[in-house]
Amino acid sequence: MFAKPYKLKSTNTLKNSEKKHLIQRLGKGFPSVNEEKLKEIVPNKSTCNFMKLVLHSGETTGVYAVDGVPMIIDTGETLVPTVCALWKVPDLIPTIVIHSPVLSKVQGGVPLYAPGVVTDPTNFPRFNKGSLLAVCTDNNAAAAIVGRAMMSSGNLLIASMGTCLEVLHVIGDNLCKELKFNKIERPKLQHGLNVNSVIQDMDQLNLQVKEEWPSLVPETPVVNEPRLIPDNVTDNKIIEEIQNFEDTIAECSDTEESIPSDMDGLLRWCLLSFLKIHGKDVELPLKTNLLYKNYLMSLCPPDRSIDVKKSSFKKMGKFLEAMQREGLVEVKEIEKGVDALVSVQISHPAVRSHTAVKPTVSAPVLEYQPPVVRELYCITAHVLELFLPLKKGTPLPANEVRRTVREYVKSKQLDAGRGSVKIDATLAKATGIKEQTLTKWDELMAGLLSHMTASTELVFADGTSRLIKTRIDPIQMQVFTRSGNKKVTLVSNLEAFGFVLPTLAQECQRAVAASCGVTRSAGASHDQLMLQGDQTHFMAKLLIEKYGLPKKYLDGADKALNKKK
């Protein structure tokens, strides 16, 4: 949050009543801490300032400083304690421990990954995904990082990779360097419990630990065989710790679905699902592009979409290279420039412990049906007398309007023959044509409809309808050239016809095997669908041939359909 420079917008000194209100907010946000400890963060006899900051991203946030020390970050939705506040009240939020060399990496902007966390099952806090977390190092119990958990404690205990924390504040960032604050130095605090106790106890067993699962990347073999444990070793403490560790994993893992939120973790999650579901019957070798298109994308959760370009790997080859080092798959070049899966390890511990959900492709799904579009005209004050007893605002189709006018002309004997109508006072008011004038029927109807509100009614497949007091704009497809001479296709006004853009984007992404997402360009009032490349031909065929949308509601439909692929 404060990794990049920010701007100070304003500074205000809090009154005593405002300080009491801040303590009340802290009490609601952290109910496990009593009011006396909260007053250590915001003492009664202290000078408390509220600073409004504009971050580098453009977002606005607030910081409460007590006696020249930043204590609380106000994001608007939640209050986040700074590391200075956690030095006063360490039990304000759960604290995890990391290896001390990891801290400098996080201070440099690198995310906190699961392997950097000291996972001691006997002294590991329990928390849910999205909870606020404090982070200290194994050589200093003073908090150094504050962030938001990206996986639960149970998942973190068993995770072998993936980002585990969204860093909000770290010691040494721009907030700590603010000139208005006193010099902030991290104190040296001792851990209440030895974080390496389990390792020491394991050393007593005289056991050398071997890597849990070998990498499939050819490497120089290392002799590191485990020794046998004598039968007379009965360490009840170790047995109890192992049982507690297994119980912790089971309890925490059952409380939350372990679908990662980051793209790297989601790609690995989809690969594990592929190995769990199709690992036994998949035909090998399997080309990597077919693995991505036919398996990983289809196994992605319905509310998510995967895109290897948005991950840290950037390319499918680098992702599978990392999975090969983990021992999950083996990839080889079967042709020049063509990589393929040649071996999968379905007995890998990560595959055995993974819970996969088969995609419900065979379940009956109500496909989208385009709405029935009716062009109507609403009654206005000018024409109300013609359509009595109907009320103002009543929508009517054009043929109903014409029938009503013909009945009126017939009842008033205004038909002058040869397709002409004599205008009376009522018709003059409704059409704007002078009274006693002989007018052709076409001119009469054109004048009448121009004094009514042109509207559009959409009747959807579920029976619901929507009336729009204007003519609905057609769906527009535009091709733009971005940097590097790359083309993108923007499709606008889809939501007006009842399309759900995230669902349609996922379908398009699978069909064309290209990046597709929902965006909103500058100056646009509604979301748009953005596809990589010139996809006007594909979109025209999809909307017209599959979904049955009339051509008149797709701008440039004929030109797009006639275009070569």
Side-chain angles (χ1 to χ4, degrees):
M1 186 179 289
F2 303 102
K4 295 183 179 180
Y6 56 82
K7 294 181 180 179
L8 179 61
K9 191 174 182 180
S10 62
T11 304
N12 296 320
T13 303
L14 298 187
K15 302 176 182 177
N16 288 333
S17 58
E18 292 173 328
K19 287 195 289 186
K20 291 180 180 178
H21 178 66
L22 176 59
I23 294 176
Q24 291 175 357
R25 288 185 63 190
L26 287 171
K28 292 180 181 179
F30 308 99
S32 60
V33 181
N34 56 39
E35 188 175 348
E36 293 181 0
K37 287 190 175 182
L38 294 178
K39 287 183 178 180
E40 294 182 18
I41 301 176
V42 188
N44 293 330
K45 296 181 180 180
S46 63
T47 302
C48 186
N49 297 324
F50 177 71
M51 301 167 54
K52 187 173 287 187
L53 309 177
V54 180
L55 304 180
H56 187 270
S57 61
E59 299 178 359
T60 303
T61 190
V63 174
Y64 291 96
V66 180
D67 293 332
V69 178
M71 285 295 182
I72 301 294
I73 302 168
D74 189 353
T75 63
E77 298 178 356
T78 56
L79 294 178
V80 180
T82 65
V83 292
C84 303
L86 294 172
W87 297 338
K88 288 180 174 286
V89 187
D91 56 347
L92 196 62
I93 55 178
T95 303
I96 60 175
V97 185
I98 62 173
H99 301 286
S100 53
V102 178
L103 177 58
S104 60
K105 304 295 183 182
V106 177
Q107 289 174 327
V110 177
L112 178 59
Y113 296 105
V117 180
V118 178
T119 52
D120 176 9
T122 62
N123 186 28
F124 200 78
R126 297 189 182 184
F127 51 85
N128 294 323
K129 179 180 177 182
S131 303
L132 290 175
L133 284 184
V135 181
C136 65
T137 54
D138 53 6
N139 59 356
N140 190 353
I145 305 172
V146 180
R148 201 177 300 278
M150 298 185 70
M151 57 177 69
S152 66
S153 54
N155 294 330
L156 181 55
L157 283 170
I158 61 176
S160 59
M161 64 176 293
T163 306
C164 63
L165 188 77
E166 177 192 359
V167 178
L168 301 177
H169 167 51
V170 59
I171 185 72
D173 61 9
N174 284 281
L175 183 64
C176 295
K177 298 175 183 177
E178 173 63 46
L179 297 177
K180 290 182 176 292
F181 298 151
N182 300 330
K183 187 176 180 181
I184 299 174
E185 294 183 357
R186 185 184 177 203
K188 183 71 175 179
L189 302 179
Q190 295 294 328
H191 285 281
L193 294 173
N194 189 357
V195 297
N196 297 319
S197 60
V198 175
I199 298 175
Q200 293 173 359
D201 291 335
M202 292 297 289
D203 289 341
Q204 294 176 6
L205 296 178
N206 197 20
L207 176 67
Q208 291 181 337
V209 180
K210 188 179 180 181
E211 184 182 3
E212 186 179 8
W213 193 264
S215 170
L216 296 182
V217 179
E219 294 178 355
T220 305
V222 179
V223 179
N224 187 19
E225 295 296 332
R227 301 177 184 176
L228 292 176
I229 303 175
D231 294 336
N232 58 356
V233 175
T234 56
D235 194 334
N236 294 329
K237 183 178 180 181
I238 297 298
I239 296 174
E240 184 180 353
E241 288 175 354
I242 294 175
Q243 290 176 348
N244 292 338
F245 172 63
E246 293 175 347
D247 293 340
T248 302
I249 294 176
E251 291 178 12
C252 297
S253 298
D254 292 341
T255 59
E256 186 181 7
E257 181 63 27
S258 57
I259 300 178
S261 58
D262 61 308
M263 189 58 67
D264 289 8
L266 184 61
L267 279 168
R268 183 177 181 273
W269 187 90
C270 292
L271 180 66
L272 290 175
S273 298
F274 159 73
L275 296 175
K276 188 85 171 183
I277 298 173
H278 304 289
K280 293 182 180 180
D281 53 5
V282 66
E283 294 184 7
L284 299 176
L286 175 65
K287 294 182 180 180
T288 56
N289 63 328
L290 297 180
L291 168 69
Y292 181 71
K293 180 179 178 181
N294 297 342
Y295 292 99
L296 300 191
M297 293 179 71
S298 62
L299 290 170
C300 184
D303 58 336
R304 304 281 297 279
S305 61
I306 62 171
D307 188 352
V308 71
K309 292 182 180 180
K310 295 181 180 179
S311 68
S312 62
F313 304 106
K314 301 301 180 184
K315 293 182 179 180
M316 192 65 181
K318 291 186 176 181
F319 165 67
L320 292 176
E321 202 174 293
M323 297 300 101
Q324 185 169 256
R325 286 195 297 270
E326 195 175 335
L328 290 169
V329 296
E330 185 177 359
V331 182
K332 287 185 179 179
E333 188 177 11
I334 57 174
E335 299 175 14
K336 188 176 180 180
V338 179
D339 293 338
L341 242 65
V342 296
S343 175
V344 295
Q345 297 296 332
I346 58 176
S347 58
H348 193 285
V351 179
R352 294 200 305 266
S353 62
H354 179 71
T355 303
V357 180
K358 291 186 178 181
T360 56
V361 292
S362 58
V365 179
L366 296 176
E367 289 198 2
Y368 168 83
Q369 295 180 7
V372 178
V373 184
R374 298 176 62 202
E375 296 183 349
L376 305 178
Y377 296 87
C378 292
I379 298 174
T380 60
H382 289 88
V383 302
L384 181 60
E385 192 174 344
L386 260 179
F387 295 95
L388 291 174
L390 296 178
K391 296 181 180 180
K392 179 182 174 182
T394 303
L396 295 172
N399 60 347
E400 184 67 21
V401 174
R402 184 180 291 274
R403 187 186 64 80
T404 303
V405 173
R406 285 190 179 277
E407 290 179 356
Y408 178 81
V409 169
K410 185 177 180 180
S411 64
K412 299 294 184 179
Q413 298 180 356
L414 299 176
D415 191 350
R418 297 184 179 182
S420 299
V421 177
K422 186 178 180 180
I423 303 298
D424 65 353
T426 302
L427 290 176
K429 181 181 178 182
T431 61
I433 303 174
K434 290 183 180 180
E435 193 175 347
Q436 302 299 324
T437 304
L438 294 179
T439 306
K440 296 292 185 180
W441 272 101
D442 292 342
E443 296 177 1
L444 173 66
M445 289 301 300
L448 180 63
L449 294 177
S450 67
H451 284 74
M452 301 180 72
T453 304
S455 306
T456 306
E457 183 186 41
L458 301 175
V459 182
F460 297 95
D462 58 358
T464 60
S465 61
R466 183 173 63 187
L467 182 66
I468 306 172
K469 292 294 185 69
T470 183
R471 283 284 178 259
I472 189 169
D473 294 328
I475 296 173
Q476 292 185 344
M477 299 182 294
Q478 297 172 294
V479 179
F480 295 93
T481 303
R482 298 290 173 89
S483 58
N485 201 26
K486 294 181 180 179
K487 293 182 178 180
V488 294
T489 303
L490 284 179
V491 188
S492 310
N493 207 37
L494 285 163
E495 288 181 315
F497 290 85
F499 285 99
V500 180
L501 294 191
T503 304
L504 186 62
Q506 193 172 18
E507 180 181 358
C508 294
Q509 180 177 335
R510 291 174 179 171
V512 299
S515 178
C516 180
V518 181
T519 184
R520 181 176 296 191
S521 59
S525 57
H526 298 285
D527 289 338
Q528 301 164 305
L529 205 65
M530 185 172 70
L531 296 91
Q532 183 180 8
D534 185 353
Q535 306 293 350
T536 53
H537 176 80
F538 163 74
M539 287 303 303
K541 286 180 68 68
L542 179 71
L543 297 176
I544 295 173
E545 296 183 6
K546 179 176 180 179
Y547 292 128
L549 190 74
K551 287 185 180 181
K552 62 183 292 186
Y553 297 115
L554 181 61
D555 196 12
D558 291 328
K559 181 180 178 181
L561 289 173
N562 293 332
K563 182 186 295 186
K564 293 182 180 180
K565 281 189 178 182

